[in-house]
Amino acid sequence: MTGAALIYGQVAPGEALYKAYCAACHDTGFGGRAPVRAALGKMTADRINEAMNTGAMMAQAGLISMPQRQIIAEFLSGGRVGSGKGPEIPASAFCAGAPGEMPADPWSMPHWNGWGVDASNHRFQPASMAKLPAGDVGKLKLKWAFGFPGDLMAYAQPTVVGGRIFVGSAGRRVYSLDAKSGCIYWVFRAESFVRSAVTVENNTAYFGDGHANVYGVNAATGVEVWKTRVEAHPEARITGAVKFYEDRLYVPVSSFEEGTGGNPMYECCTFRGSAVALDAKSGKVIWKTYTIGEEAKPTKKNAAGTQLRGPSGAAVWGSPTIDAKNKVVYIGTGDNYSEPAAGMTDSIIALDLESGKVVWFQQMTAGDIWNFACGLGLKSLGVPEVNCPNQASPDSDFGASPMLVSLGGGKRAIIAAQKSAMVYALDPDKKGAVIWKTKLGSGGIVGGVQWGPAVDSEKAYVALSEAKTKLAPDAKQGVTSALDPAVGGGLFALRLSDGEKLWYAKPIECGDRKPCSPAQSQAVTVIPGVVFSGSMDGHFRAYSAKDGKVIWDYDTIREFDTVDKVAAHGGAIDGPGATVVDGMVYVNSGYAITGASPGNVLLAFSVNGK
């Protein structure tokens, strides 16, 4: 990424290219957002090449010629581009017969739709839908496993509607599976990776991809109905699930420019986050509201002579939340990428459902300007940190979706959890006035609350990451990023009415496992009496909602025999939470960033594996 002239000398061309363009991200893990070099080595040359040409790394590879990309891919993988795209799914993995039709009334069946299971993003599954009594959770056993071919991460939360699972993948595929057996109904090939949860309405599956496309796909057959690109910026992507409400889709738009901005040769930065309303039937844009009102302008030049731009940032990472009473949609925003600081970064924003107009916003951390040049040890790789506006900025995004809850007596609150490790209750009827706030830890780049809490009628259950990465010498790579096995955040229960801490479950130590972190970054899922929370150590655990005691624990870091006959391995658990439907618990395992364990498997549990 230095952009320096490449003089191969006695260094292999692939290694020289990698060090010049890639090492600053992938040797350090780049603040928890990039897979480390060892993880990339598990991919095929074709998959790495595809990522640079059309996939997640397309923008970052803009300075690299096509032949050079191929050299890098072959260096990292040890294979050859064009030798095959890796494992394919055998015909035996598909369900017998044609995909068939969806049930006439899928909503009469147990279901979990989209990210937060309801319009308020509670991540609470009631007993009538979960059909898993708290007393049976300790009897859960693996029923089946499904492998995502050639992937390093399993980071799209499964949706279950009409007895079918809908789930995206890092490999650009979206799958429809039978919820009980895991056999495949259909596979859809998106333009880029699909990290967002799928939302199903009107026999249509809606989701976004890594090129900021939103799709409407026939839920029964997997045939594309429409596709709309909601943001032209080359770094834009859809991370959060779209929210369906009254025949509209509300779409959050995020980006990776925060990462690209660390390159001293890159004109950091021009992306600005947004929320977009689409017509659900046609995909037509109804309105679009940017979280930064003005376009980026030239500001100053950095020490490398590169023109810098701003303001930028305020990505919208999480799924929007609907407030039907006030007729608004709530979104949370991330930090600034470059100077000057903008007013709606690190904020909770209320937008008018009909027009997209900003009704109110509450900024919780002002002046937070951060990109990957800040505090990640790039100098050890010979990369100047000249694009960092302020080394002390905290990177305090709202990555978690806001949750709209009832406090009783006609009072309501928005529960908003931040990477600063702060949890807030805001008054939706008083323009986001703070009702209470509770500090849970120190927060940080990959610390604090990452992907979100869950709530029942009395408590908020909040998993805390507090993950720390450290650079360490490596005989082959010179330097690499590793998780600190001693640092983790644990799980909290907070009283909804006042934010008081009711119990705390400490993080469980890693022991001899490497790489490992006890951090709990995964989104929390709750059913009556039980809290599900995964850890970066690869363990998936169930806790008592009453006192936080562990009542069930499954170690996912192992090889699995899969129903689709794809080689699959579990790894760190991060990002999407568990989905609980009709006596089954579904969870992804594998998260090849922050130096954590890669993996590519979706696991399905039931009582006694039946």
Side-chain angles (χ1 to χ4, degrees):
M1 290 184 64
T2 63
L6 301 177
I7 302 175
Y8 298 150
Q10 296 180 347
V11 179
E15 183 175 359
L17 288 164
Y18 172 81
K19 287 183 175 179
Y21 293 109
C22 313
C25 288
H26 294 290
D27 277 5
T28 65
F30 235 34
R33 274 80 160 188
V36 295
R37 180 170 161 183
L40 296 177
K42 297 179 183 295
M43 297 174 68
T44 66
D46 285 295
R47 284 294 299 275
I48 297 172
N49 198 48
E50 179 186 84
M52 290 187 283
N53 291 336
T54 62
M57 297 303 297
M58 186 174 67
Q60 290 80 4
L63 297 174
I64 312 170
S65 70
M66 295 288 279
Q68 289 174 329
R69 295 175 198 177
Q70 180 173 333
I71 292 171
I72 292 171
E74 293 178 350
F75 164 72
L76 288 170
S77 67
R80 299 287 296 177
V81 170
S83 60
K85 294 187 180 297
E88 292 297 327
I89 302 170
S92 62
F94 287 80
C95 304
E101 296 297 324
M102 291 282 289
D105 184 12
W107 309 114
S108 66
M109 304 168 63
H111 55 270
W112 178 298
N113 195 11
W115 174 258
V117 84
D118 55 28
S120 299
N121 280 320
H122 286 174
R123 300 195 58 80
F124 172 82
Q125 183 72 303
S128 60
M129 294 292 173
K131 294 189 179 297
L132 180 63
D136 284 349
V137 169
K139 304 174 186 176
L140 288 172
K141 294 183 179 179
L142 184 68
K143 184 172 184 179
W144 53 260
F146 180 88
F148 299 104
D151 289 356
L152 296 177
M153 290 184 278
Y155 57 16
Q157 181 175 287
T159 283
V160 180
V161 172
R164 297 188 182 194
I165 297 170
F166 301 87
V167 62
S169 71
R172 298 169 53 187
R173 293 181 173 105
V174 177
Y175 300 86
S176 176
L177 312 176
D178 182 84
K180 293 299 183 182
S181 70
C183 71
I184 302 171
Y185 285 112
W186 52 255
V187 181
F188 176 83
R189 187 79 166 178
E191 186 178 303
S192 183
F193 64 87
V194 176
R195 181 166 186 166
S196 73
V198 177
T199 299
V200 178
E201 296 285 350
N202 299 328
N203 198 40
T204 306
Y206 302 105
F207 52 89
D209 75 4
H211 287 171
N213 296 304
V214 179
Y215 299 81
V217 172
N218 185 290
T221 64
V223 175
E224 183 178 306
V225 178
W226 54 258
K227 180 175 77 171
T228 301
R229 191 174 187 191
V230 295
E231 173 57 50
H233 194 285
E235 297 280 19
R237 57 185 60 185
I238 309 298
T239 305
V242 302
K243 186 71 70 179
F244 180 95
Y245 182 70
E246 293 187 344
D247 294 323
R248 290 186 179 185
L249 299 175
Y250 295 91
V251 183
V253 184
S254 64
S255 85
F256 192 72
E257 195 184 30
E258 186 177 46
T260 309
N263 184 344
M265 307 306 292
Y266 182 76
E267 295 189 2
C268 180
C269 284
T270 58
F271 171 83
R272 45 188 181 145
S274 63
V276 183
L278 302 179
D279 177 83
K281 293 181 180 179
S282 66
K284 180 181 178 181
V285 175
I286 298 171
W287 56 255
K288 179 174 184 176
T289 300
Y290 285 104
T291 53
I292 296 177
E294 59 181 304
E295 293 185 10
K297 299 178 178 62
T299 53
K300 62 182 180 181
K301 291 187 178 181
N302 67 17
T306 304
Q307 178 67 60
L308 301 181
R309 302 177 186 275
S312 63
V316 185
W317 294 98
S319 183
T321 299
I322 303 297
D323 184 344
K325 175 187 173 183
N326 288 350
K327 297 182 180 180
V328 296
V329 55
Y330 300 116
I331 58 173
T333 63
D335 57 9
N336 303 269
Y337 300 165
S338 59
E339 296 176 314
M344 291 198 299
T345 53
D346 294 353
S347 298
I348 300 298
I349 305 174
L351 303 173
D352 181 83
L353 281 169
E354 182 64 27
S355 66
K357 180 182 177 181
V358 175
V359 178
W360 59 259
F361 72 92
Q362 267 283 13
Q363 186 178 50
M364 311 315 295
T365 306
D368 182 13
I369 312 175
W370 190 92
N371 63 55
F372 280 16
C374 300
L376 295 178
L378 299 187
K379 289 181 179 179
S380 64
L381 293 170
V383 180
E385 298 175 333
V386 295
N387 275 8
C388 179
N390 181 1
Q391 292 282 358
S393 284
D395 185 26
S396 293
D397 297 359
F398 280 102
S401 295
M403 299 183 298
L404 182 62
V405 303
S406 171
L407 299 180
K411 295 182 179 180
R412 306 186 304 159
I414 300 166
I415 305 299
Q418 194 177 7
K419 283 174 56 183
S420 62
M422 292 292 297
V423 181
Y424 301 90
L426 309 179
D427 192 331
D429 304 310
K430 294 182 179 179
K431 297 184 178 181
V434 177
I435 301 171
W436 56 257
K437 58 184 178 180
T438 301
K439 181 78 168 177
L440 300 182
S442 59
I445 297 170
V446 286
V449 183
Q450 292 284 310
W451 294 108
V455 297
D456 58 20
S457 60
E458 298 178 348
K459 305 182 190 79
Y461 303 92
V462 189
L464 194 64
S465 169
E466 299 301 86
K468 301 293 183 184
T469 57
K470 54 185 179 181
L471 296 180
D474 184 272
K476 294 183 179 180
Q477 300 179 32
V479 65
T480 190
S481 176
L483 287 161
D484 188 334
V487 182
L491 182 67
F492 294 81
L494 307 181
R495 188 158 55 202
L496 283 179
S497 60
D498 58 10
E500 181 179 344
K501 299 174 186 176
L502 299 177
W503 54 254
Y504 169 54
K506 294 181 180 180
I508 297 174
E509 295 180 359
C510 286
D512 295 330
R513 171 164 289 172
K514 295 180 181 180
C516 183
S517 168
Q520 289 172 239
S521 302
Q522 185 197 37
V524 177
T525 297
V526 175
I527 64 173
V530 182
V531 184
F532 290 97
S533 177
S535 172
M536 293 287 280
D537 65 3
H539 283 259
F540 180 48
R541 300 181 178 96
Y543 299 77
S544 166
K546 180 181 179 179
D547 55 20
K549 292 182 179 178
V550 175
I551 57 178
W552 178 77
D553 187 340
Y554 186 89
D555 186 357
T556 69
I557 298 187
R558 62 182 75 176
E559 301 287 341
F560 290 94
D561 292 326
T562 61
V563 292
D564 56 337
K565 308 304 179 185
V566 168
H569 191 279
I573 298 179
D574 199 340
T579 299
V580 186
V581 181
D582 198 19
M584 301 279 291
V585 180
Y586 308 93
V587 69
N588 283 308
S589 179
Y591 208 75
I593 60 174
T594 59
S597 297
N600 63 324
V601 69
L602 171 64
L603 303 174
F605 299 92
S606 62
V607 175
N608 294 324
K610 297 179 180 179

